[in-house]
Amino acid sequence: MYNAARLGLEEAGANTLFLAMGFLQWREVSTKKSWMAPLLLLPVSLSRRSVRSGFSLRRHEDDTVLNPTLLQLLKQSFQLTFRDLDVLPKDQAGIDVARILQTIRNAVVDIAGWEVHEGVSLGIFSFAKYVMWKDLQDRTPELRENHVVAQLMEVAEEHVTPKINLNERHTLDAKHSSLDFLTPLDADSSQLHAISWASEGHDLVLEGPPGTGKSQTITNLIAHLMGTGKRVLFVSEKMAALEVVQSRLASIGLAPFCLELHSAKARKAEVIGQFRSALSASFELNGEEWQNAGHAVDRFRADLNEMVDVLHRTHENGLSIRRAFSMVVHGEPRWQPAQIRWSDFEGLGREALDHVEGVVATVKSVVQEVAPLTENRLASVRHQTWSPTWEEQLLVAAERTSRAMDALRTEFRMWAQALPTMTSEELSLTQLDFLAETARLLVGARVCSAGIRQNPTPDSLTHIQNLRSHGERRLEAWKPMASLFRPDVTEIGEALYTEWRKSSTASFFTRWRLQRAVRRQLQSYALEKPWESQLALENLLKGLEEIHREDVALSTLSDGSRRLLGPAYHDHETDWSSLAAMEAWLEGWQRTLRRWPRVFRGAEERLLLDYPEEDRPWSRYVEAWQELNTNYQDFSRLAGRDPANTSEVDEPGWLERLSQDIEQVSTAKADLRSWCRWQEVRAEAVALGLLKIVEVLESGQVAPEDLEDYWRFSYAYTWVRQQIDHEPRLRAFSRTEHMQKIVDFRRADELLQALTPADR
C-alpha cells in the first residue's frame, strides 16, 4: 500500500491513499447483488525513516470528501442526492462524521437491502478518471470552444484537421533560417519540421516507439516557444515523462522558467520558491555572436543542400540521381551494364519509362516459357504471329525443302570429277548457287564450237569479238549492193575505186577516159544499172572499197577462226548470229571465272575438257537447285528469316545447317506458339531500344528472373553517366572537399547550439 500510494503520487501527481470512514451497503436492482462502498474519504500519507523502521500515518493536506463516484452513482441510478452535504458539517474536532453518516442513513432507510455501517479502513482510492469525466460534464460548452476538444468530443469529419506528412520536409531549409529555430538540443529534419508546424499554430500528434526522440523534440519545442515569448502547458499521464522533459530543460538552463505542478512541487511553498527562482534568473547575452554563428550555419547548409538537391531532385523519368546510384550499387557484382544507346531513352518521362519496364516484365514472363534461349531448337524461326494455318504452311514448306535438299545432293554427283574433294554439305549457299550458275553456262556451252569450249580464254573472246565485228561490218556494207551486183564484184572493187580516185587529179581528157573504163568494167558485174548519177557511182565504189578492207581483216583472222570455230567458219559467209551467241557465252564464262571461288580453282578446266555428250546432267542440277531455292525461300519467308542474310549465305555447311533447322522445327512444333510470342515481344523490346538487353538475355549472361533488375541497373548506370555529364557540381565533386564542408557545418552547428541556451 505504501508503494502503491507513492507510485500514484509520482506517476499521476495526486494522492490516492485515504482513510475510509463509514460504508454504504447497497444492492443492484437487476442482479440483487450486494456491494460495500466507502462514504467519507480522509486523505492521508504513509512515511517511514528507513526500510527497517515502522510506518507513520499522517493527515494529507488535501480536503476530506464524500466518495464522489458513489455520489454520482446514487444520482444517476437511484436519483439520490445529498444537498445538505454539499458542504461537509463540522464539530469541535473537525468533520462531523456521525452527522454525515446519519444523514445518509436517513436518506436510504426506505430502500430494502441498503444499510450504513460504521467503520474505518485504510486503502487506495483513485478518482482521476472521474475527475476528468466530471470536468467534461460540467464544462462542456466552454470546452467545445476549443477546436481540439471539439474534434475529440464530436469526431466529425468536417472538424478533422488535414493530416500533415512530416516526411515532406525537403523545403524546410529553404523556408527557415537556422536562427528561426531556438532548439538547444540536437534535432533532425523531422523534429524541426514538427517544431515548425507547431510554432505556426497547427495541431499534430507525434508517434514513435521508445528512443526515437519524442521527449527531445518536446524539450526543443518548449524551448523554442519560450524563446518566442509563448507560454507552454506540458501535461502527461505519467510523472516520469514530465521529469524527463523537466530534467532536459534544466540541463539547458531553462529550469528557472519551468513551474512544476505535480508531485511534492505542487505545494504552495514550492510554487512560491519556483517563482522566486524565475524572477532572480539572469543571463549574460551575446546576440551578435549567436547571429554570426547562425549565418555561418546557413551558409554551410545552403552549400551542402545544393548537392543534396542535385542528388535527390526527381527528374522527369521519376528517378533521382541518388536513387539511380543505389540501383547501380545494388546490382549483382558480376553484371556488366548493357551498352544501351542513350538516344533511344533520352527525354523519356515516367509514363514512357513505365511502358518500357512493362515490356521488360513481359519479356521476362514470356522468355521463361521458352527458356533456354541459348541453342534453342527454334532459334531459326523469327516469325512473330502464330496461327494454325501458318504453322501448317511452315511444316509443309519444311518438308518440301527437305525433299529438295535430298534431290540436290543426288544431282551433286556430276561435280564429283571436277570437285573430287568437295561434298555438297561443305559448301555455302553462295557456292551452291554459283555452281548452279556455272551449270547454266555449261548447258549453254552447247552453242559453242569444240575449239571454243577447249580454249575459252580472254584471247579467244577477243578474237571472236574482232571476227564478228569485221564480219558484221562487211555484211552491212554488202547489203545495199547485193541486189545490184554479182558477188564476185568485190574482187575488183578496190582496184576500180583506186582508178576512180586517180582520175580525179588527171586532165579532162584523161579523167574522162579513166572513168569511162571504170563504168564499163563495173557495168559488166551489174545485175541492172546500179547508179543514176556521178555521186551514186562514187558511193558504190566507196562501199566496194570498204568491203575489200573488211575482207583483208577477215583474211588475217582466218587461221585462228578456223581453229576456234572449225566447220562453223565460212569466211565472210559465216553465221554471225551464232557467233554472237558464242561471244555472249564466252563473256559469261569469263565473268564466272573472275568470281570463281578459290576452293574451286582448277575445276573450270576439267569441266570443259570432260564436257558430256548431252547437257541433261547439268540441267538436272539446275532444276534441283531451282526447286531447293524456291522451297528455301518459302520456308525462310514463313519462318520470318531473311534468305539473303550474308552472315548465313556465305558460311560453309549451309545444307547441313538448313537440315538441322528443318529437323528441329519439325520436332519442336509443339513449342512454335510460345516461341512466336517470344519473337513478338522480342521485336517490341528491340524497337524500344532494348536490343543489348535482349542480347545479354539470349547469351545467358543474365537469368530471366533477374531481367527487370538488370534493366534498371543498366538504365540507371547509363542515365547517371548522362546526368554527370550535364551537372557541373557532380563533375567537380571531390570527396575530401565535401567531407570538409560537412565537418565545417557540424562545427558551426555545434557552436550555434551551444550559444542558443545562454543567448536566447
Side-chain angles (χ1 to χ4, degrees), residues 327-588:
M327 292 165 67
V328 173
V329 169
H330 288 89
E332 290 288 339
R334 59 185 174 82
W335 284 351
Q336 293 295 323
Q339 300 301 311
I340 60 178
R341 188 173 57 186
W342 179 245
S343 59
D344 293 331
F345 300 96
E346 187 173 11
L348 283 188
R350 183 66 259 178
E351 184 176 350
L353 195 59
D354 286 343
H355 174 67
V356 175
E357 292 194 349
V359 172
V360 173
T362 303
V363 170
K364 170 187 172 181
S365 60
V366 171
V367 80
Q368 288 177 330
E369 188 175 355
V370 298
L373 294 178
T374 54
E375 300 182 2
N376 192 284
R377 292 181 298 173
L378 295 175
S380 61
V381 178
R382 298 285 185 269
H383 189 72
Q384 299 174 17
T385 306
W386 180 90
S387 70
T389 302
W390 167 83
E391 181 177 313
E392 181 180 1
Q393 291 174 344
L394 178 69
L395 296 175
V396 169
E399 176 62 27
R400 289 175 177 172
T401 305
S402 179
R403 290 198 299 268
M405 284 191 293
D406 292 339
L408 184 73
R409 292 186 181 100
T410 301
E411 299 303 330
F412 189 81
R413 68 181 184 275
M414 68 186 58
W415 298 102
Q417 202 167 13
L419 303 172
T421 61
M422 287 286 174
T423 65
S424 59
E425 307 302 314
E426 301 176 40
L427 303 182
S428 67
L429 183 148
T430 302
Q431 291 169 338
L432 289 169
D433 185 64
F434 182 82
L435 290 179
E437 182 180 342
T438 303
R440 292 187 190 95
L441 279 172
L442 292 173
V443 171
R446 186 66 61 186
V447 302
C448 297
S449 63
I452 289 178
R453 290 199 300 269
Q454 293 170 4
N455 193 27
T457 63
D459 291 340
S460 297
L461 175 60
T462 302
H463 184 93
I464 295 298
Q465 288 172 337
N466 290 334
L467 179 64
R468 187 174 67 84
S469 175
H470 290 296
E472 288 181 346
R473 283 201 296 271
R474 186 193 186 285
L475 182 62
E476 289 300 315
W478 174 247
K479 279 182 180 179
M481 300 182 189
S483 61
L484 302 176
F485 298 101
R486 299 198 312 269
D488 56 344
V489 73
T490 59
E491 298 175 2
I492 64 168
E494 194 272 337
L496 293 177
Y497 183 65
T498 301
E499 289 296 318
W500 184 269
R501 290 181 61 187
K502 191 183 298 184
S503 69
S504 62
T505 59
S507 62
F508 174 79
F509 178 76
T510 304
R511 181 169 62 252
W512 175 82
R513 181 174 57 80
L514 290 175
Q515 289 181 354
R516 186 182 64 174
V518 169
R519 288 191 190 95
R520 287 179 177 177
Q521 191 172 3
L522 186 60
Q523 185 65 45
S524 66
Y525 287 90
L527 299 177
E528 59 183 54
K529 187 177 181 180
W531 63 88
E532 297 292 337
S533 64
Q534 183 81 359
L535 179 60
L537 175 59
E538 185 172 348
N539 288 335
L540 287 173
L541 291 172
K542 286 181 180 179
L544 290 173
E545 195 275 336
E546 181 180 357
I547 291 172
H548 176 76
R549 287 200 309 272
E550 296 301 332
D551 283 341
V552 171
L554 290 173
S555 177
T556 60
L557 296 172
S558 61
D559 291 341
S561 299
R562 288 187 179 90
R563 285 195 304 272
L564 288 174
L565 300 179
Y569 180 68
H570 301 287
D571 294 324
H572 64 271
E573 295 181 355
T574 300
D575 184 357
W576 304 116
S577 61
S578 64
L579 200 65
M582 297 182 193
E583 180 183 337
W585 184 89
L586 273 173
E587 289 175 345

